[in-house]
Amino acid sequence: MHKRSSVVLIAITAIGAAFTPSISHAATTSPRRIISLSPSATEDLFAIGAGKQVVAVDNLSNYPANAPITKLDAFTPNVEAIAKYKPDLVVLQSSATKAVTVKAALEKLKIKVFFEVTPSDINGAYTEIQALGTATGKGVQATKVITAMKTAIAQAITSGKRSNPTAIFHEVDSTLYSATSKTFIGHVYSDFNTLNIADAADTADSFGYPQLTNEYLLKANPQVIFLGDEQKISQVASRAGWSRIEAVAKKQIFALPADIPSRWGPRLVDFYQFVAKSLMSIK
Amino acid sequence: MRGEKQEDSAQIQGISPIWNWRTTFICAALLLLVGLLAISFGPIHLHFGEIIKTLLGMHGGLSGQDRTVLIDLRLPRALLAALVGAALATSGAVYQSVFRNPLADPYLLGAASGAGLGATIAITNAHGDVYSLLPIFSFIGGTLAVLTSFFISGKFFAEPQSLLLSGIAVGSFATAIQTYLQQRHSSSLRPVYSWILGELTVANWQIVTWSSIYILISLGVLISISKQLDGLMLSDEESFSLGINPNRLRMIAVAAATLATATAVSASGLIGFVGIVVPHLVRGITHRVTNRNLLTVALAGAAFLVLADLGARTLLSPAELPIGVITAFVGAPFFLVVLRRRRTL
């Protein structure tokens, strides 16, 4: 269930037409009571040192551990429950149910809204961190965080980059949804000079997240499999017919840590480093 | 038992002008009560006395953010719930007598599936603010589906069963396309799903205003013809002898009920079982044929949905429980009881 919803989450957010986060009113004084209804924004806020200004985060914002997690729901935001915390800034995902109406209702209550549109690539993620910095009075720290991320990611790419193209499969969920190179997740893999087997299966309707079939997978024969759905490697390896896949035969299946592939915050560094380490270990 | 006998004789005589005013009054009082409950409860604590003062426009009422919470968040939501509840319950009662089928509901002629298709088309094709287009699309979808059912059945009401069957066929067809679209656009699963379960979240005055126009007009028409509708319980020949043109009457009744249903659906998604539970409940309490109690049914439906919505937004607060889950949770067991009693009758 959790994984299903995360496919949908990733996919929904990928359709966003505009990629720059916008803030509804120009910030005059720094907000002191922030509510983040986005796990990625929560990670951003704490990384740029605005954590002390955050009074509540949604029920999926499980990182960092000291984030004030509440039962607030990010997908069906309850305006009144949000207002109860007397926030002066709310980070709202554009993919939330009736996001535009929720935003209008919050603004009617004189609460500023940071409207977060899911970025389509890493530059969008940097833009969001910088925008959150500006909105919270932590612009300088935000720039520092971005610089550090860029350095660490560049190092990871240098160490893990393949000299000859390697076929990879990223599993979004166990019903074989995958992510093509044009998605945020796919960009990470293509930075390492890999061939994404999902690319050929992409259609206009799949928005970069096509559902593959067992047969397609056997035919494409990926050399490396990345599990983004917290499946057990042994279970994946024992799926019917999968023993013929090169990645399975050579035991080149890697399970990504929870939440890493679905967040576009500072832990993107972890994502790049995990992929680098995995690719360095293959034959 | 004696009550049933009386009801039977009332049915045979057709148009005795009995109205159970007491039940109507009780339902109105109940609606007022649950309405007050609904606007009094929420995550933010508002002083009850101040709520009343604000509503009556007296001095010493709520101000600032609290006032906005009451006027712009709670009040439109309770009103929309009442409107939708009244529309669904009344349409359900009318469909049940038009089709002489106690299990008929407002979605029978494809209104729900058609509206679902319209909503899915809006969600899968629109970028950005989906929810401004959604009501229009689902309204058009629902109305088109019912019109198609009429068109296909051809003979209109010469035989209600044929309309019923074509409604089911059109509904299945619309559902098939809707499911296909939904599968092709996996990204839209979540919004489509939450719409199908029904939602009154962030209702605003704009939605309340336009839906109240259509719903109140339809309800006015239905309540004004409610006496004649009872004549439909008789055979068509007998109705004629009472001076009723059964086909024309059915036509007007179904058109008005469909308009009310399509509006309700486009404002709040698919909320099931209200159209079955409430008419049967009122019938059970009053021991009278439904149509003479249409106003009572409307009031009871409004009260039922306002209460269900209060549950939807408080039971799991701050998360929202889809209101369709609550109405079905109460409705499904009730539906089974009706079925069971019908079998033993």
Side-chain angles (χ1 to χ4, degrees):
Chain A
M1 181 61 216
H2 175 70
K3 275 302 115 192
R4 224 321 170 244
S5 58
S6 81
V7 182
V8 172
L9 181 162
I10 295 165
I12 288 164
T13 47
I15 330 170
F19 297 116
T20 9
S22 65
I23 185 154
S24 43
H25 304 286
T28 40
T29 51
S30 301
R32 288 155 183 275
R33 299 186 62 82
I34 303 171
I35 291 183
S36 167
L37 298 178
S38 154
S40 295
T42 303
E43 297 191 18
D44 289 347
L45 288 166
F46 278 82
I48 62 175
K52 278 183 187 162
Q53 293 152 260
V54 177
V55 292
V57 298
D58 70 280
N59 55 2
L60 296 177
S61 283
N62 54 3
Y63 189 93
N66 59 338
I69 193 161
T70 66
K71 286 183 181 168
L72 288 175
D73 193 301
F75 295 128
T76 45
N78 181 335
V79 175
E80 206 183 314
I82 295 167
K84 198 185 173 191
Y85 289 92
K86 301 198 178 303
D88 48 11
L89 177 69
V90 173
V91 180
L92 180 71
Q93 297 185 43
S94 65
S95 58
T97 307
K98 300 189 181 175
V100 177
T101 326
V102 171
K103 181 170 177 271
L106 286 169
E107 283 168 355
K108 208 157 204 171
L109 291 164
K110 311 235 169 4
I111 299 167
K112 286 175 193 165
V113 176
F114 183 98
F115 207 51
E116 179 197 57
V117 179
T118 307
S120 61
D121 58 23
I122 196 154
N123 288 322
Y126 294 143
T127 310
E128 183 178 328
I129 294 171
Q130 194 64 62
L132 279 169
T134 311
T136 57
K138 301 283 181 191
V140 182
Q141 290 91 322
T143 312
K144 276 186 194 160
V145 167
I146 294 167
T147 314
M149 282 175 74
K150 283 181 173 165
T151 314
I153 287 172
Q155 275 172 2
I157 292 174
T158 317
S159 61
K161 197 164 187 169
R162 306 295 293 167
S163 44
N164 39 356
T166 309
I168 64 110
F169 165 60
H170 174 93
E171 179 171 295
V172 173
D173 81 352
S174 57
T175 62
L176 303 186
Y177 272 98
S178 189
T180 68
S181 295
K182 69 182 185 191
T183 65
F184 197 120
I185 295 172
H187 278 303
V188 175
Y189 295 111
S190 53
D191 281 346
F192 288 95
N193 191 28
T194 58
L195 282 175
N196 193 328
I197 65 151
D199 287 355
D202 198 18
T203 64
D205 287 338
S206 60
F207 297 105
Y209 295 91
Q211 185 177 23
L212 309 182
T213 61
N214 266 319
E215 283 185 32
Y216 180 90
L217 219 66
L218 291 180
K219 190 163 164 263
N221 197 22
Q223 294 163 269
V224 188
I225 294 176
F226 288 97
L227 303 174
D229 52 1
E230 295 163 54
Q231 292 281 313
K232 283 210 175 71
I233 291 173
S234 56
Q235 277 174 2
V236 172
S238 63
R239 285 177 189 164
W242 281 43
S243 54
R244 302 173 61 93
I245 297 174
E246 189 180 333
V248 178
K250 289 186 174 171
K251 294 194 167 63
Q252 287 164 181
I253 309 177
F254 303 96
L256 287 151
D259 300 327
I260 288 295
S262 56
R263 306 243 171 122
W264 52 90
R267 286 199 291 166
L268 275 169
V269 173
D270 296 15
F271 192 3
Y272 273 92
Q273 286 175 343
F274 183 90
V275 175
K277 216 175 86 190
S278 306
L279 291 176
M280 279 153 72
S281 74
I282 67 171
K283 287 142 212 154
Chain B
M1 277 300 111
R2 223 161 56 97
E4 273 169 31
K5 277 266 187 295
Q6 278 173 1
E7 185 180 314
D8 284 344
S9 66
Q11 263 189 48
I12 292 160
Q13 284 158 21
I15 39 174
S16 86
I18 310 162
W19 191 317
N20 196 331
W21 282 108
R22 205 167 43 169
T23 325
T24 313
F25 178 75
I26 293 172
C27 284
L30 206 65
L31 174 59
L32 197 67
L33 184 75
V34 294
L36 281 176
L37 271 180
I39 56 170
S40 307
F41 283 100
I44 292 180
H45 177 76
L46 300 181
H47 191 267
F48 187 71
E50 291 180 6
I51 291 177
I52 302 293
K53 281 180 188 164
T54 314
L55 291 181
L56 298 176
M58 285 158 57
H59 275 290
L62 298 164
S63 58
Q65 201 187 56
D66 287 350
R67 189 184 165 84
T68 316
V69 166
L70 178 71
I71 303 289
D72 289 309
L73 296 181
R74 289 188 192 170
L75 208 54
R77 185 159 173 171
L79 283 174
L80 188 64
L83 281 168
V84 169
L88 293 178
T90 315
S91 313
V94 169
Y95 274 134
Q96 282 150 25
S97 51
V98 166
F99 294 106
R100 295 180 183 144
N101 185 336
L103 302 182
D105 81 353
Y107 304 144
L108 200 66
L109 298 182
S113 326
L117 177 58
T120 309
I121 290 173
I123 293 172
T124 49
N125 288 302
H127 294 260
D129 185 15
V130 168
Y131 291 93
S132 56
L133 280 175
L134 202 149
I136 305 161
F137 271 72
S138 59
F139 183 83
I140 295 173
T143 319
L144 272 184
V146 177
L147 286 177
T148 314
S149 306
F150 269 90
F151 186 71
I152 290 174
S153 82
K155 286 177 286 183
F156 291 110
F157 289 106
E159 208 186 327
Q161 306 299 353
S162 78
L163 178 60
L164 217 143
L165 286 173
S166 78
I168 290 169
V170 169
S172 312
F173 186 71
T175 306
I177 301 174
Q178 189 253 325
T179 313
Y180 171 77
L181 280 176
Q182 189 182 315
Q183 288 306 113
R184 292 276 286 180
H185 300 75
S186 53
S187 58
S188 62
L189 276 177
R190 195 172 54 82
V192 170
Y193 180 67
S194 85
W195 185 85
I196 283 175
L197 286 177
E199 49 182 17
L200 290 160
T201 46
V202 281
N204 56 32
W205 283 106
Q206 195 194 343
I207 298 173
V208 173
T209 312
W210 66 253
S211 56
S212 68
I213 296 171
Y214 294 117
I215 289 177
L216 293 179
I217 288 176
S218 316
L219 293 190
V221 171
L222 290 174
I223 290 171
S224 70
I225 60 168
S226 58
K227 260 189 209 172
Q228 287 104 301
L229 279 174
D230 274 352
L232 291 181
M233 300 307 258
L234 308 167
S235 73
D236 283 5
E237 287 83 358
E238 285 170 305
S239 312
F240 265 121
S241 70
L242 290 171
I244 295 168
N245 178 345
N247 285 351
R248 217 190 64 187
L249 186 61
R250 287 197 190 105
M251 185 80 139
I252 297 169
V254 169
T258 301
L259 181 62
T261 305
T263 311
V265 166
S266 58
S268 62
L270 301 182
I271 300 177
F273 283 109
V274 181
I276 292 179
V277 176
V278 177
H280 284 293
L281 207 63
V282 172
R283 244 176 240 142
I285 294 170
T286 60
H287 291 294
R288 279 180 174 79
V289 184
T290 325
N291 299 303
R292 223 153 316 134
N293 295 312
L294 270 191
L295 181 59
T296 318
V297 170
L299 291 168
F304 178 74
L305 209 64
V306 172
L307 197 62
D309 184 51
L310 179 62
R313 62 193 179 82
T314 51
L315 288 179
L316 288 184
S317 180
E320 292 246 3
L321 199 59
I323 189 167
V325 171
I326 293 190
T327 54
F329 188 77
V330 180
F334 187 82
F335 192 86
L336 293 175
V337 172
V338 173
L339 262 176
R340 170 113 195 131
R341 271 184 51 190
R342 188 173 149 71
R343 208 176 59 182
T344 53
L345 273 175

